[in-house]
Amino acid sequence: MAFHILGVRHHGPGSARSVQAALNSIQPDVILLEGPPEADSLVGSVGNPELQPPVALLLYVPDAPQRAVFYPFASFSPEWQALRYANTHSVPLRFMDLPMANQLLPPRVPIEKQQGPIDAETISEAVPQAATIPPALANEEEVDDDEENDSIPEGVDVNDPRMQRAMEIRMDPIGFAARLAGYSDGERWWEHLVEQRQNTDEVFAAVMELMQAMREDCTDLISLREQRREATMRQTMRATQKEGFQKIAVICGAWHGPALLTLPPAKHDNEILKGLPKVKIAATWIPWSHGRLARASGYGAGVNAPGWYQHLFNHPHNPMPGWMSRAARVFRAEGQDGSPAHAIEATRLADTLASLRGAPLPGLPEAMEAIRTIYCFGQDAPLRLLEEKLLVNEKLGKVPDDVPQVPIATDLAREQKRLRMPPEASHKVYDLDLRKPNDLDRSRLLHRLNLLSLPWGKVQTTRGKSGTFHEIWNTLWKPEFALTLIEASTWGNTLMEAAASRVFNDSQKSASLPELTTLLDAVLLAHLPESVGKLLERLQNVAAVTTDLPHLMEALPPLANINRYGDIRQTDTSAVAEVVSGLVARICVGLVPACSSMNDEAAKQMSGLMGSTDQAVSLLENTEHATAWNHTLEKLSTDGALHGLVTGRATRILFDRKLIPADELNRRMSLSLSTANGSTQGGYWLEGFLSGSGLVLLHHPDLLKLVDAFIGELGDDHFTGLLPLLRRTFTAFSAPERRQIGEHLLGQGGTGSSPVLALQSGWDSERSQCLLPTLRLFLGLNPESLA
């Protein structure tokens, strides 16, 4: 027999060991492996010691890199062990799946109606340049968008009980077999059947027999795409046999094994593969991570606990002692108890549980139950400490420098090495002092990547340090960033060049002044000096024709930040200062007319914009700008025809700037909250004045009295109408502020001059006595407590 079919489960340590044993027994002269033929040229890289799993094959369409697919491998993947065997024993290895050239087709291109190559223009029309698609995590995942290829064939009655059973089998054959065997979890059944097996003899024959039985019920559900994949595998087998190879090892997903047992006449396979459209494909190796191998990441062929499978592969005969020792180390690192005695007792308990359940070795359920009992005293919460560091055991693979890469990826790798910022699959925090050249370059790198839609790092809120000189970045490298880099390569061959091109493109598309100012801020943070001039020119042109005052106000804060902190980043902000001066002048001239005849929603938006504009003017530290802004606020605060939110907000800003004395503020508040002014207008004025903080009421008891009197004098109808507004105002205060205000009103937190809430008229003391016994009972008080 020339062919040896080895049906495996992707990413299974037991399958990996079985493949190792089978290949050593067969000693094949060629290996055929389920996978994309376009990656054949990359097989030789497996012998490079710098290629360390987990890694993945990335295949993509160069003209439309959004169309891409990943084939991930871990050290415990049977396919990886086949690759290593081929390299170690100098055995040729070929991938035998349907080429990605026939699968990564643009959307809305029916596979039956188009023949021959698909040009780049067709691809770019079908897939927008700036679009991104979720990576199709391969082996058993669907990777095309042609619904006809993967839909249920015509004529199938989905309501037929037999067909429903077949559909259940096809969706999850391992899970279906597990349920028949009395297991609630397919992964646990497979682990007991295969992963923990010490003797691998006949395991492939048993799996093949099981899959044959299941496929017999699913003959009508084999999709067109799946038929094409299996036809390609058989074609590759025939071609290999014709070359004269005598011992051919065929390694594929267990589900496909029965379709490869016999080779029917080639005519049918040739017909089903005839005239398939195709696109140009590029392939490379990229680092992968254990987290992306986990089923929780959305990977259909993933496993529940990659860290456990890695440990099981490394320690197949007696995994428990090492696993329990690792758990102890994790607990100790987190300040929890984890002694050798814990490890010994947990190991014994796991072995006992396995014996009681008839398992050959303790599995992950037994291990975690033992840890919960011994380490955690039956509590579930401490187990969360083990999720990332033990169950996932997060690690990022490595790829050698000689692997084909787009130039921008090479540039990034060079920068990461120069700045000592290795990509890591777990969170790492960088506290950057921008006065240090190396830290400044790190900041610029991360900002450039963000401009290219590659969020390796996110800026965190700075606490306890000067925001001028410090940036806190939280970094996390994700494997799919490799695809993002390929997409970014369309903008340039280096990070600086690509970021500058992307910025220019975005600036030409945007006609919004706030978007342009935010983009300018990002450009200066990323230190793209060549882009600043072009962007400023675009900004000035848009600002000159912008008549929407809210847009002008939204645009000011980013420019103020640039103008104030630009010298820290060694950037020239003189041109920005000119734009800022023009914006401030236009805002001050147009703000009062713009605030007339506002509805509630527009007034609320304007109140927020006034606060951000005030902060921006303060940052500028320009006397001329501050004078003009204060003059505008004074007009707003004294214009009784404007919405109360606007006048109240303007009054508060002036008071915080110490431009309104306390007695004058008392007078203005009295007028605004008077009944002659209307309760609704007074309520909105109060909301605008108190927006953001209630400390002003605590520092000025007279103002608190005015507010208390205003609310107390409201009639029932007016109070009901204003209650949502008042609740919104006071619930925005911090809990300590609300508590202190309440204490002042009750005469407990201040000088005692604040009014004490009096009982309303009409209080019936005799009727209230009837409630006291029940209240004492509810509150558990003694009989005299409420007397």
Side-chain angles (χ1 to χ4, degrees):
M1 179 179 178
F3 298 108
H4 299 269
I5 312 296
L6 308 180
V8 301
R9 181 197 183 195
H10 307 297
H11 317 308
S15 292
R17 287 194 302 273
S18 298
V19 165
Q20 285 179 323
L23 292 178
N24 286 328
S25 175
I26 297 167
Q27 296 185 1
D29 46 13
V30 66
I31 298 174
L32 302 181
L33 182 62
E34 179 185 333
E38 292 91 345
D40 282 347
S41 60
L42 299 174
V43 171
S45 300
V46 176
N48 191 325
E50 295 183 9
L51 186 66
Q52 301 177 15
V55 291
L57 287 169
L58 168 61
L59 294 97
Y60 61 96
V61 181
D63 295 321
Q66 301 87 357
R67 303 291 298 173
V69 64
F70 301 101
Y71 279 76
F73 302 92
S75 60
F76 52 83
S77 301
E79 298 93 340
W80 180 257
Q81 293 305 317
L83 287 164
R84 285 181 55 84
Y85 179 92
N87 180 268
T88 303
H89 294 82
S90 301
V91 175
L93 183 144
R94 302 170 184 174
F95 289 107
M96 63 171 185
D97 206 343
L98 182 66
M100 280 297 124
N102 303 127
Q103 298 194 63
L104 291 178
L105 305 176
R108 301 181 299 279
V109 179
I111 199 169
E112 287 81 7
K113 296 182 180 179
Q114 174 138 8
Q115 298 183 357
I118 297 177
D119 57 26
E121 182 178 356
T122 303
I123 294 172
S124 62
E125 290 176 356
V127 183
Q129 182 67 43
T132 58
I133 62 172
L137 299 177
N139 288 347
E140 293 300 330
E141 295 301 290
E142 306 297 347
V143 295
D144 60 53
D145 292 315
D146 186 358
E147 295 181 0
E148 296 182 8
N149 286 334
D150 297 305
S151 59
I152 298 175
E154 294 183 7
V156 173
D157 183 5
V158 296
N159 296 318
D160 183 354
R162 185 186 65 85
M163 192 54 59
Q164 289 180 348
R165 178 175 180 271
M167 291 172 64
E168 184 181 357
I169 293 174
R170 182 61 194 95
M171 289 178 63
D172 185 10
I174 292 179
F176 183 82
R179 288 188 289 275
L180 290 180
Y183 286 76
S184 60
D185 183 273
E187 184 161 331
R188 187 177 182 187
W189 172 76
W190 185 268
E191 184 176 323
H192 283 183
L193 181 72
V194 177
E195 309 303 348
Q196 296 177 351
R197 180 181 292 271
Q198 302 302 306
N199 184 357
T200 60
D201 295 343
E202 306 300 327
V203 65
F204 290 114
V207 171
M208 182 70 73
E209 184 178 351
L210 172 64
M211 293 301 166
Q212 278 183 297
M214 289 190 171
R215 283 185 67 116
E216 288 177 0
D217 290 337
C218 302
T219 304
D220 296 335
L221 293 177
I222 305 300
S223 67
L224 180 57
R225 175 177 174 271
E226 191 170 337
Q227 293 178 47
R228 287 181 170 133
R229 292 182 62 198
E230 293 173 350
T232 304
M233 295 179 191
R234 291 191 292 268
Q235 275 193 340
T236 307
M237 292 167 65
R238 293 189 191 97
T240 305
Q241 191 177 37
K242 287 181 180 179
E243 292 182 37
F245 291 103
Q246 298 300 312
K247 293 185 290 185
I248 305 172
V250 179
I251 302 172
C252 62
W255 177 257
H256 300 296
L260 310 181
L261 275 178
T262 59
L263 297 181
K267 181 179 179 181
H268 173 268
D269 291 342
N270 293 336
E271 285 294 327
I272 201 173
L273 296 172
K274 182 179 178 180
L276 292 182
K278 60 182 179 180
V279 292
K280 183 180 179 181
I281 295 293
T284 186
W285 287 106
I286 64 169
W288 206 247
S289 70
H290 273 176
R292 283 295 187 267
L293 288 171
R295 184 173 286 117
S297 69
Y299 176 27
V303 295
N304 290 336
W308 165 253
Y309 271 14
Q310 179 72 63
H311 181 79
L312 199 59
F313 182 72
N314 295 337
H315 307 86
H317 302 295
N318 191 14
M320 278 303 109
W323 184 256
M324 295 305 175
S325 297
R326 290 177 58 195
R329 286 196 294 271
V330 172
F331 281 124
R332 287 198 300 270
E334 298 294 336
Q336 304 292 325
D337 290 338
S339 66
H342 284 90
I344 293 170
E345 289 302 317
T347 300
R348 290 174 177 171
L349 180 55
D351 290 336
T352 302
L353 289 173
S355 299
L356 291 173
R357 295 168 180 174
L361 285 173
L364 185 59
E366 289 77 23
M368 298 312 293
E369 286 180 42
I371 291 174
R372 180 188 293 108
T373 301
I374 303 300
Y375 287 92
C376 307
F377 301 101
Q379 301 296 317
D380 290 329
L383 288 177
R384 298 188 187 127
L385 298 174
L386 305 179
E387 289 179 0
E388 179 179 352
K389 296 184 179 179
L390 196 63
L391 295 179
V392 176
N393 188 25
E394 188 62 280
K395 61 182 293 189
L396 190 70
K398 295 182 179 180
V399 172
D401 295 336
D402 59 0
V403 167
Q405 288 185 326
V406 291
I408 194 173
T410 304
D411 183 51
L412 175 58
R414 184 167 49 248
E415 287 295 288
Q416 289 171 330
K417 185 175 181 179
R418 179 178 72 86
L419 299 175
R420 299 187 298 281
M421 298 178 69
E424 296 181 7
S426 57
H427 289 277
K428 182 172 182 178
V429 175
Y430 288 94
D431 184 354
L432 304 183
D433 185 341
L434 303 182
R435 294 167 294 188
K436 299 177 180 179
N438 192 68
D439 281 5
L440 182 59
D441 284 349
R442 285 176 169 180
S443 173
R444 289 169 173 172
L445 171 64
L446 293 170
H447 280 295
R448 287 172 188 170
L449 291 175
N450 281 334
L451 283 172
L452 293 171
S453 301
L454 197 158
W456 178 21
K458 295 181 180 180
V459 179
Q460 307 297 299
T461 303
T462 305
R463 295 180 180 178
K465 294 184 178 180
S466 171
T468 304
F469 296 105
H470 280 270
E471 275 185 349
I472 309 295
W473 288 86
N474 188 349
T475 62
L476 175 67
W477 185 264
K478 299 179 180 180
E480 55 265 33
F481 288 163
L483 181 58
T484 308
L485 279 173
I486 293 172
E487 295 175 8
S489 67
T490 59
W491 301 107
N493 291 330
T494 66
L495 291 173
M496 178 176 283
E497 177 185 342
S501 299
R502 175 72 180 270
V503 164
F504 179 77
N505 179 77
D506 291 348
S507 67
Q508 297 304 306
K509 289 183 178 180
S510 176
S512 167
L513 192 59
E515 291 178 0
L516 288 172
T517 55
T518 301
L519 186 60
L520 178 60
D521 190 16
V523 165
L524 290 169
L525 293 175
H527 190 61
L528 302 174
E530 295 183 1
S531 301
V532 173
K534 298 176 182 178
L535 192 54
L536 277 172
E537 181 180 354
R538 171 70 173 158
L539 183 66
Q540 289 174 326
N541 292 337
V542 172
V545 298
T546 298
T547 58
D548 190 334
L549 195 75
H551 277 191
L552 296 176
M553 298 174 76
E554 289 177 25
L556 183 61
L559 292 176
N561 281 324
I562 295 170
N563 192 71
R564 175 68 176 85
Y565 298 129
D567 56 332
I568 303 302
R569 291 182 172 273
Q570 304 170 18
T571 54
D572 183 10
T573 60
S574 56
V576 177
E578 296 180 9
V579 177
V580 167
S581 297
L583 286 180
V584 172
R586 293 178 63 185
I587 290 171
C588 292
V589 170
L591 185 55
V592 175
C595 290
S596 61
S597 303
M598 277 188 167
N599 59 25
D600 295 344
E601 188 63 29
K604 183 177 181 180
Q605 179 190 13
M606 180 56 69
S607 175
L609 289 173
M610 289 168 61
S612 59
T613 301
D614 182 66
Q615 293 177 1
V617 172
S618 298
L619 278 180
L620 294 173
E621 296 183 346
N622 183 295
T623 303
E624 183 179 347
H625 295 337
T627 301
W629 175 241
N630 293 337
H631 182 65
T632 302
L633 290 174
E634 180 64 26
K635 289 182 179 180
L636 291 173
S637 68
T638 56
D639 192 337
L642 300 181
H643 197 283
L645 277 171
V646 174
T647 55
R649 184 64 169 159
T651 304
R652 175 61 183 274
I653 294 174
L654 289 171
F655 181 71
D656 287 344
R657 284 175 169 265
K658 299 181 179 179
L659 297 176
I660 298 180
D663 55 348
E664 173 63 15
L665 178 61
N666 287 343
R667 187 187 70 81
R668 294 189 184 187
M669 179 176 281
S670 298
L671 291 174
S672 299
L673 300 184
S674 67
T675 55
N677 203 29
S679 58
T680 302
Q681 176 73 356
Y684 279 119
W685 189 96
L686 184 62
E687 181 181 6
F689 181 79
L690 296 178
S691 176
S693 172
L695 289 176
V696 65
L697 298 180
L698 297 173
H699 295 159
H700 301 276
D702 291 341
L703 298 182
L704 182 57
K705 289 181 181 180
L706 290 173
V707 173
D708 185 36
F710 167 73
I711 296 175
E713 292 172 1
L714 290 173
D716 291 345
D717 293 340
H718 285 162
F719 179 78
T720 302
L722 286 179
L723 184 58
L725 185 151
L726 296 172
R727 286 178 60 88
R728 183 171 67 243
T729 301
F730 284 93
T731 54
F733 300 161
S734 66
E737 288 176 350
R738 294 198 301 269
R739 184 182 65 253
Q740 292 182 52
I741 289 173
E743 291 173 349
H744 273 276
L745 289 174
L746 293 173
Q748 298 174 0
T751 61
S753 60
S754 297
V756 178
L757 295 179
L759 295 175
Q760 293 182 358
S761 60
W763 174 266
D764 191 331
S765 177
E766 183 176 343
R767 293 181 63 191
S768 67
Q769 295 297 321
C770 299
L771 296 175
L772 296 183
T774 304
L775 287 176
R776 295 189 190 104
L777 180 63
F778 284 163
L779 299 176
L781 301 175
N782 58 59
E784 292 78 20
S785 297
L786 296 178

